[in-house]
Amino acid sequence: MSRLLAAALTVVAATALAVGAALGIVALLDATPDQPNTPLITYEQTGQER
């Protein structure tokens, strides 16, 4: 019975650790500021050539 209890506690602890890590990663990703969406290359428009 003690091995079964130890296994169950290990599963519960591992699940809690995995959920905590997942929530921590999501919190870190939400904390980073969004990068500006500016193009690296811009083209001059010299009129309509069609």
Side-chain angles (χ1 to χ4, degrees):
M1 183 66 178
S2 64
R3 283 189 176 192
L4 183 61
L5 181 61
L9 288 176
T10 303
V11 168
V12 169
T15 303
L17 184 63
V19 169
L23 291 176
I25 289 171
V26 169
L28 283 175
L29 289 175
D30 284 340
T32 58
D34 290 334
Q35 298 296 320
N37 190 13
T38 56
L40 296 176
I41 300 173
T42 56
Y43 297 101
E44 295 180 13
Q45 294 187 4
T46 60
Q48 304 204 359
E49 299 179 16
R50 280 197 182 242

